[in-house]
Amino acid sequence: MNDSSASKGEAVPDISAWKEIVMRYQKPAIWRGAWQIVNTLIPYALLWYLMFLSLRISFWLALPLAALAGAFMVRVFIISHDCGHGSFFKSRTANDIWGFITGVLTFTPYHHWRWEHALHHSTSGDLDRRGMGDIWTLTVQEYLESSRWRRFAYRLARNPIILFVIAPLFIFVVKHRFPKAEASRRERYSVYWTNLAILVMAGGLSWAFGLKNYLLLQVMVSTIAGSAGVWLFYVQHQFEGVYWERREQWDYATAALQGSSFYKLPKVLQWFSGNIGFHHIHHLSPRIPNYNLEACHQADPLFQQVKPITLFSSFKSATYRLWDEKNKRLVGYRHLRELRKQAKQHSR
């Protein structure tokens, strides 16, 4: 644990204590996992049928159903996510099977994504290991030293319309169709088999609903789910008081408790997002299944000291653009204008 936390008067986790606590909640329950599959996939499938019937009457009748299906698609992704961590079921085979199935439904290659996401967990909050499974974030100094083209590209990437609407659709529909160059054979074949399964699924639904209807419904559902999912991921690591450190000062437990948010959502949104708002607990121990995250959070005062972010207060995160390494805080572009103003005053 680094000393910066203690100097701020923040809670300094007892390493042995939190490890013993989280171990109690790392036990998957087959009945809870099975019930979550039932109460997620069956309504999701039913919504697809209802969307098709509604679309034959009116697009506007199908739109609210697509929004609801998008919410269920987020929950489908959480199942795949937990399977990737090996936490959803005790059986690795069961995790891999259901992880692949739910991955196909969310256009996500299971093994390839699992590999990338594991890197995210091992580097989250580390300024020297950015760039894998995270949102592009520059420090103030890096931005100031960037070329005009790189600054333009960064501003474009951080634009809310690009970041939360266009980028999610691109990631899930296009980017996930191609393996990374450094991916292993298993990860590469995960992409290929997922692509084939998606083709079969899309072909079957196009035959049943009609190609135009299927594409319209899939784009609507995927856009809503992708936007919601990226927003969740964004708020989980881009919020007021977030932790970022250089590698030599970086600490795993501190990065989890201070670099991952406790996103306190209304109960219905907590259900659809599979308790992922308890992200500080998830980063402490990815082996805790989503259905045990809240109980683990309630198990010790240490975890409850993490300041919650509410749905309303989370919108402030959309104003953050850069990491101010000197003051250890996220700032917006207005901060750059203040720096330029200060520089002019000093030059007089």
Side-chain angles (χ1 to χ4, degrees), residues 125-144:
D126 188 332
L127 285 170
D128 293 319
R129 293 188 287 172
R130 286 167 287 168
M132 179 65 82
D134 57 10
I135 290 173
W136 189 15
T137 305
L138 292 178
T139 67
V140 170
Q141 193 61 32
E142 287 168 345
Y143 181 86
L144 293 174

Side-chain angles (χ1 to χ4, degrees), residues 72-128:
F72 270 98
M73 193 178 189
V74 171
R75 189 166 166 85
V76 174
F77 182 84
I78 293 298
I79 294 175
S80 181
H81 166 273
D82 275 22
C83 288
H85 283 298
S87 64
F88 198 70
F89 290 116
K90 187 175 181 180
S91 165
R92 180 172 180 175
T93 300
N95 281 319
D96 288 347
I97 290 172
W98 284 106
F100 176 79
I101 293 171
T102 51
V104 170
L105 293 174
T106 56
F107 287 65
T108 305
Y110 172 68
H111 286 290
H112 191 278
W113 180 87
R114 183 175 73 174
W115 161 64
E116 285 188 300
H117 193 62
L119 293 175
H120 160 69
H121 271 266
S122 63
T123 60
S124 180
D126 188 332
L127 285 170
D128 293 319

Side-chain angles (χ1 to χ4, degrees), residues 130 136-155 322 336 340:
R130 286 167 287 168
W136 189 15
T137 305
L138 292 178
T139 67
V140 170
Q141 193 61 32
E142 287 168 345
Y143 181 86
L144 293 174
E145 293 173 354
S146 295
S147 66
R148 182 173 296 181
W149 167 248
R150 191 169 188 241
R151 291 185 190 184
F152 171 76
Y154 185 75
R155 282 180 174 265
L322 301 159
L336 299 175
R340 294 189 187 102

Side-chain angles (χ1 to χ4, degrees), residues 13 31 97 123 125 142 146 156 172 174 181 210 249 282 301 327 337:
W31 68 271
I97 290 172
T123 60
E142 287 168 345
S146 295
L156 189 65
F172 287 98
V174 179
Q249 282 88 39
H282 173 61
N327 296 303
R337 294 194 291 270

Side-chain angles (χ1 to χ4, degrees), residues 283-296:
H283 266 257
L284 264 185
S285 177
R287 295 304 299 268
I288 298 176
N290 72 77
Y291 43 78
N292 285 344
L293 288 173
E294 183 173 12
C296 184

Side-chain angles (χ1 to χ4, degrees), residues 25-78:
Y25 296 90
Q26 291 176 348
K27 301 173 181 178
I30 187 170
W31 68 271
R32 296 193 70 175
W35 172 236
Q36 196 166 105
I37 287 172
V38 169
N39 67 30
T40 302
L41 297 191
I42 291 178
Y44 184 62
L46 180 60
L47 280 167
W48 266 92
Y49 181 62
L50 292 176
M51 284 190 296
F52 167 65
L53 295 179
S54 301
L55 196 59
R56 297 169 69 177
I57 301 170
S58 169
F59 166 82
W60 300 107
L61 193 60
L63 187 58
L65 291 174
L68 185 58
F72 270 98
M73 193 178 189
V74 171
R75 189 166 166 85
V76 174
F77 182 84
I78 293 298

